[in-house]
Amino acid sequence: MPSWMYLLCCVTVFFYQTMDAIDGKQARRTGTSSPLGELFDHGCDALTTIFISLTTLSVMRIGNTTPVFFAIASVLVPFFLTQWEEYFTGSLNLGYISVTEAQCAMMGIDLTSFFLGSDWWLQSINIFGIEMRYNWIVISGVIGSGIFTSLTNFFEAGKAWSKGSGNVVKGVQYLAPMIISLAACYVWIIYSPLELVSSFPHSFNVILGFVTANLVGRIIVARVCGLPGSTFPLILIPLVLSAAHAFFFKSSLISDSYVVYLNLAWFSLTYLHFALGIIEEMCKHLKIRCLHIPYPNPATQAAQNKSK
């Protein structure tokens, strides 16, 4: 990539981070905060996480090997677990290493590639007798951070269960869709005759990104509406069938080159359908318009009354 692309990546991440930080303040300032706004906020975060992660991996010249899948999963899984934990605790706990720290790290990676070149990440250093490239040192830190954050989520959810907010059975049930998705992807990778992550580095990982975004949206809707969480959404059937096709038939009935794109189309369309349907239903229930700030609103009226 040309060097200016790295700077552009940094600028866009900074813009996204800034807008993500002030949207809630803007909603409260105009008196338009609502459960739909929360769903919009976290839903957009869930959707953009996969694309920002893939961009950062590309900037570091990480390649398209199977371990990349685990690096992507170590980012997506903690995001889902944070929402899963909030379902039981009622509060959003971002932990010690959260979204802001991750975004700052991504901007640092972009700037490093801009000033030093992306080849800098291919240099090696000896750590306790093991030669490791700089990019894989970063990926190891990402995976370790993801594991630590996930364990924190389990610990906080366990404290909530001990206080009567849910129980282990519900926790496992609502965690099942994410476990099934990861297991299906892993089985598909292992038993497919094609090197899925190498042959389809973006498409295959984006499938998991759309799956995670859908599951995050569902558990947020369940929490804000006081509904039970999903245990096995039917949208996961194509992913499970794809893994079964690879496991039992070695992907001999239909080439995985078609199956990957069919899954990508399915999960992108089902996420779009889910998002539009939820937005429409919430707007009707809350009697509000999406992406619209009414005028006058409670905030402006209060300011006018105060000036009088």
Side-chain angles (χ1 to χ4, degrees):
M1 290 194 299
S3 59
W4 63 266
M5 287 292 292
Y6 305 130
L7 183 60
L8 178 62
C9 289
C10 178
V11 171
T12 53
V13 171
F14 177 77
F15 178 80
Y16 168 72
Q17 178 198 42
T18 304
M19 295 299 103
D20 187 38
I22 67 176
D23 57 353
K25 293 182 178 180
Q26 169 71 354
R28 288 186 290 273
R29 187 178 71 86
T30 57
T32 55
S33 59
S34 70
L36 178 61
E38 180 181 0
L39 181 62
F40 245 105
D41 188 343
H42 298 309
C44 290
D45 291 341
L47 188 59
T48 57
T49 296
I50 180 62
F51 297 105
I52 295 178
S53 299
L54 286 173
T55 301
T56 304
L57 293 177
S58 298
V59 167
M60 289 193 297
R61 305 271 300 277
I62 202 65
N64 54 355
T65 58
T66 300
V68 171
F69 169 78
F70 296 100
I72 293 294
S74 67
V75 176
L76 296 177
V77 171
F79 192 96
F80 171 80
L81 287 177
T82 299
Q83 305 301 326
W84 171 81
E85 175 201 324
E86 187 179 3
Y87 181 91
F88 296 103
T89 62
S91 60
L92 183 62
N93 177 27
L94 295 177
Y96 297 102
I97 304 175
S98 64
V99 178
T100 302
E101 288 76 15
Q103 291 169 339
C104 288
M106 290 175 181
M107 288 186 284
I109 290 170
D110 293 332
L111 289 177
T112 300
S113 295
F114 174 71
F115 287 110
L116 303 180
S118 60
D119 288 342
W120 185 84
W121 297 103
L122 302 179
Q123 299 180 76
S124 299
I125 186 173
N126 189 293
I127 302 178
F128 301 113
I130 301 175
E131 287 289 329
M132 290 189 69
R133 287 181 173 179
Y134 291 163
N135 52 10
W136 278 106
I137 294 175
V138 175
I139 295 303
S140 299
V142 170
I143 294 175
S145 174
I147 294 173
F148 175 78
T149 303
S150 299
L151 293 175
T152 302
N153 295 137
F154 286 119
F155 178 74
E156 294 296 330
K159 290 198 298 185
W161 297 337
S162 66
K163 297 176 182 178
S165 178
N167 51 58
V168 177
V169 175
K170 280 188 177 181
V172 173
Q173 287 178 337
Y174 300 163
L175 195 59
M178 195 72 225
I179 296 174
I180 293 171
S181 301
L182 290 172
C185 286
Y186 183 70
V187 169
W188 194 3
I189 290 172
I190 294 300
Y191 290 97
S192 173
L194 299 179
E195 291 288 338
L196 292 179
V197 179
S198 299
S199 303
F200 312 97
H202 296 99
S203 299
F204 186 81
N205 286 303
V206 169
I207 289 173
L208 182 60
F210 273 116
V211 170
T212 305
N214 199 304
L215 297 180
V216 167
R218 287 171 181 269
I219 200 164
I220 292 175
V221 170
R223 176 175 54 78
V224 299
C225 297
L227 300 172
S230 299
T231 55
F232 182 75
L234 296 180
I235 62 164
L236 296 181
I237 290 178
L239 184 61
V240 173
L241 290 178
S242 300
H245 178 230
F247 182 80
F248 292 107
F249 302 102
K250 305 301 180 185
S251 301
S252 59
L253 302 181
I254 306 175
S255 172
D256 272 342
S257 59
Y258 297 110
V259 178
V260 167
Y261 291 119
L262 287 173
N263 273 273
L264 180 60
W266 168 259
F267 285 109
S268 58
L269 290 175
T270 52
Y271 181 77
L272 179 64
H273 177 266
F274 166 77
L276 293 178
I278 288 297
I279 291 171
E280 182 180 6
E281 290 184 24
M282 280 195 165
C283 284
K284 287 182 179 179
H285 179 74
L286 297 172
K287 296 180 175 61
I288 59 176
R289 289 174 58 188
C290 182
L291 301 178
H292 173 74
I293 298 177
Y295 185 87
N297 55 60
T300 58
Q301 288 176 343
Q304 290 172 358
N305 294 333
K306 185 177 181 179
S307 63
K308 292 178 182 179

